[in-house]
Amino acid sequence: TGQVVTRTTKPHKKNMRLRLFLAIALAVSVLSACAHVAHADEAAAASSSDGTPPDFATLKISALRAILSERGLECRGCAEKTDFVEMARGNYHLPVVEKVVEQEPAKETKTQSDKMNDRDLDEMMKSMNSNANTGDPEKDAILNKLKAKGINMMGKDGMNGMDIEQLRKLEQAMGGMG
């Protein structure tokens, strides 16, 4: 009869992985930016508007580092909070240094021939998921049974690299899979 069957397509694994990677990358960058803002806020709160120095001993190490960083300093060799407190107290009188934002050099863009296209990726995935064809009928049969049960090892040779005795033992351990 003249029925039309439509099939909904599932998103490719590549697209799902890319979306997951982008979501994680975005989350990491947001968290990093929030941490930098928090340190800057602590440093700003530490310095009073009337020019009197803050109570350095009550500040967190991150705020002390921010005070030093604002002045272009780094507390190398500081192991204890008291080291940071002493250095911040001793250098608080120094002027705040403007940070120079360096522009990153333009990155090379890949040409179309450099990028792996969907067809190449599909071929690679197909070759990894293809039925076993080792030339040994017994070995192929065992590998296909294992694959049907959801057991498949990826890699250069995967389970194809196992000898027949290992595969027989694996088949036996799986209860014959019959």
Side-chain angles (χ1 to χ4, degrees), residues 3-8:
Q3 293 181 349
V4 176
V5 177
T6 59
R7 178 186 274 174
T8 59

Side-chain angles (χ1 to χ4, degrees), residues 4-173:
V4 176
V5 177
T6 59
R7 178 186 274 174
T8 59
T9 59
K10 294 181 182 177
H12 290 293
K13 287 183 181 180
K14 180 179 89 171
N15 291 339
M16 291 180 359
R17 288 181 186 147
L18 178 62
R19 287 180 185 164
L20 178 62
F21 172 75
L22 292 174
I24 291 170
L26 177 64
V28 168
S29 64
V30 167
L31 290 175
S32 176
C34 289
H36 289 296
V37 169
H39 293 309
D41 288 345
E42 288 177 9
S47 57
S48 61
S49 59
D50 64 357
T52 59
D55 183 6
F56 296 103
T58 61
L59 297 177
K60 293 181 179 180
I61 292 178
S62 60
L64 295 168
R65 283 183 191 198
I67 290 171
L68 294 171
S69 177
E70 287 176 343
R71 287 153 180 78
L73 301 172
E74 185 179 326
C75 195
R76 291 190 178 154
C78 294
E80 303 286 328
K81 181 178 179 179
T82 54
D83 299 330
F84 286 98
V85 168
E86 289 175 19
M87 187 167 181
R89 187 178 288 134
N91 293 291
Y92 189 74
H93 67 282
L94 295 175
V96 175
V97 178
E98 267 189 55
K99 289 186 179 180
V100 178
V101 178
E102 293 183 22
Q103 210 171 13
E104 289 186 31
K107 294 181 180 179
E108 290 184 30
T109 57
K110 291 183 176 180
T111 63
Q112 187 61 29
S113 62
D114 292 337
K115 295 179 184 177
M116 179 179 276
N117 62 32
D118 289 340
R119 185 175 41 85
D120 293 337
L121 185 61
D122 288 341
E123 281 183 32
M124 184 187 309
M125 293 300 289
K126 188 177 179 181
S127 71
M128 291 170 55
N129 293 325
S130 65
N131 288 336
N133 188 9
T134 62
D136 180 354
E138 182 184 6
K139 192 173 186 179
D140 291 344
I142 295 172
L143 289 171
N144 288 329
K145 286 179 187 178
L146 291 168
K147 186 174 180 182
K149 292 291 186 177
I151 300 172
N152 192 15
M153 293 177 5
M154 297 294 180
K156 182 178 178 192
D157 292 323
M159 287 192 294
N160 291 348
M162 295 174 74
D163 65 40
I164 191 68
E165 283 304 312
Q166 291 174 317
L167 288 172
R168 286 179 187 146
K169 289 178 183 177
L170 184 55
E171 180 184 29
Q172 185 180 8

